[in-house]
Amino acid sequence: MIRYVAMRLLGLGLTLLAISLVIFTILAVAPGDPMSEFASNPAITAEVRENIRRSLGLDQPLPVRYVKWLGALLRGDLGYSFTSRSPVSGLILQRLPTTLWIAGLSYLMSVAIALPLGVFSALRRGSVADQVLTSAVLMGFSLPTFVTSLLMIIVFSVQRRWLPFIYDSTLVVRDWNSFVLQLKQSLMPVATLVLFQTAVLMRFVRAALLDELPQHYIRTAHAKGLSKRRIVLAHALRNALIPVVTLVALDLPSLFTGSLVVEQVFRVPGMGALLVESISRSDTPVVMAIAFIFSVLVVLLNLVADLLYGWLDPRVQG
């Protein structure tokens, strides 16, 4: 197992270095100028704009800028926003709790719902319950999140007036009433994400388990007289979780950026909204920091998935 982990860790540094180079190069040559907001201001002359550009280091060659950015990144310094001149780390930490509350809660609920429903549907393949569940999954998987969001706003906010459709970022939970308000304003964004993520996860769990149930080792377990519960949970489900682990590992980094569409529709001030705002303003340091952190999460969670493979199927370590 140690050799298996060492082999996975070997290329981690080079992979992240290559990712940082690609991210920096793409954003550096992308169209858009952080000084464009000052161009329409007659009070700011071309000389002042050039001084600002020099103070931001935008006048230096790309290799020099990359080395400086990478050195600061290794020290834990994500730089300063071009537009607000605030530390990028502060902007991220300011938005991260909201994203983790909405996206994290929805993902935990999705996993908790999808896993038992996927097993239930696979074990009752072809039944009425299975057909109802697969139809619901198809609907949840096919509907874009912006359509689901708008439908919820129309029904629960416009027609019924039960829930607010604009997320109040100034709300502070101090007592039971404020906690109830927090739950009410979070209900529709969370429900939108849960509907889509549950459909995706349940579809994979059901398909993976159906692939395992006809295998010879399952028939052997039945022949040995093992209970159906033990066969499903200890044997079939364990092997079926291998492709599901891949899906979860690739999808978990999205908790950092949240759902771009849902945060825009409900005006949730999370990481997704910060990324969209930074891209529209050509705020390169913020975009690079979010993109690189997202890439690091993808690489690390893929490593975790590889380690889980070794635990779920010891043959992978060979």
Side-chain angles (χ1 to χ4, degrees):
M1 187 66 180
I2 297 178
R3 179 177 177 272
Y4 179 73
V5 175
M7 292 298 294
R8 296 305 180 194
L9 289 173
L10 186 61
L12 190 63
L14 292 177
T15 302
L16 292 178
L17 182 63
I19 289 174
S20 69
L21 180 59
V22 170
I23 291 175
F24 183 88
T25 304
I26 291 177
L27 292 177
V29 301
D33 186 1
M35 298 293 102
S36 58
E37 294 188 3
F38 300 107
S40 59
N41 190 345
I44 300 179
T45 63
E47 182 180 359
V48 173
R49 286 200 300 270
E50 185 61 30
N51 291 334
I52 296 175
R53 181 182 298 274
R54 190 178 299 110
S55 67
L56 296 176
L58 297 176
D59 61 324
Q60 298 176 345
L62 287 181
V64 175
R65 290 165 54 188
Y66 171 72
V67 171
K68 289 185 175 181
W69 175 73
L70 183 61
L73 190 66
L74 293 176
R75 297 192 304 269
D77 182 9
L78 299 179
Y80 288 84
S81 167
F82 283 165
T83 56
S84 66
R85 300 303 296 161
S86 301
V88 175
S89 57
L91 294 176
I92 292 176
L93 292 176
Q94 183 181 6
R95 303 289 189 101
L96 190 57
T98 302
T99 290
L100 292 179
W101 165 251
I102 298 296
L105 180 62
S106 65
Y107 205 85
L108 289 176
M109 293 178 62
S110 300
V111 173
I113 296 172
L115 191 59
L117 286 183
V119 174
F120 176 84
S121 181
L123 294 178
R124 288 161 177 78
R125 182 179 184 181
S127 65
V128 176
D130 177 45
Q131 294 177 6
V132 171
L133 285 174
T134 51
S135 300
V137 164
L138 181 61
M139 182 182 299
F141 184 76
S142 303
L143 282 177
T145 52
F146 73 88
V147 174
T148 309
S149 302
L150 293 177
L151 287 176
M152 287 191 177
I153 289 176
I154 292 173
V155 174
F156 298 109
S157 295
V158 178
Q159 295 181 351
R160 298 297 180 181
R161 300 180 184 273
W162 289 345
L163 302 171
F165 63 90
I166 298 296
Y167 193 92
D168 184 9
S169 59
T170 62
L171 177 64
V172 179
V173 178
R174 291 194 177 94
D175 51 22
W176 175 253
N177 291 332
S178 59
F179 179 70
V180 171
L181 291 176
Q182 177 69 19
L183 289 180
K184 290 179 66 175
Q185 72 173 359
S186 304
L187 188 58
M188 286 196 295
V190 170
T192 302
L193 294 175
V194 167
L195 180 63
F196 179 78
Q197 292 167 345
T198 301
V200 174
L201 289 173
M202 180 187 162
R203 183 185 180 198
F204 269 80
V205 172
R206 180 182 182 274
L209 191 57
L210 286 176
D211 287 339
E212 295 297 327
L213 290 177
Q215 299 297 324
H216 292 298
Y217 73 93
I218 297 296
R219 297 175 184 174
T220 303
H222 279 292
K224 289 181 178 181
L226 297 179
S227 64
K228 185 176 181 180
R229 178 186 179 91
R230 184 176 179 185
I231 292 173
V232 172
L233 297 180
H235 297 281
L237 185 58
R238 180 170 179 173
N239 289 328
L241 285 177
I242 293 178
V244 178
V245 165
T246 304
L247 176 65
V248 172
L250 293 176
D251 202 32
L252 271 179
S254 64
L255 298 183
F256 179 76
T257 55
S259 175
L260 302 179
V261 175
V262 172
E263 288 189 3
Q264 289 297 307
V265 172
F266 293 103
R267 297 294 187 268
V268 179
M271 294 298 303
L274 176 63
L275 180 60
V276 172
E277 294 169 5
S278 302
I279 292 174
S280 64
R281 297 174 180 175
S282 298
D283 199 347
T284 309
V286 179
V287 179
M288 285 194 300
I290 295 176
F292 185 74
I293 294 175
F294 184 85
S295 303
V296 170
L297 291 176
V298 171
V299 172
L300 291 179
L301 286 171
N302 270 277
L303 175 62
V304 173
D306 288 340
L307 298 180
L308 287 176
Y309 290 164
W311 176 71
L312 291 170
D313 188 356
R315 294 172 300 176
V316 177
Q317 301 179 29

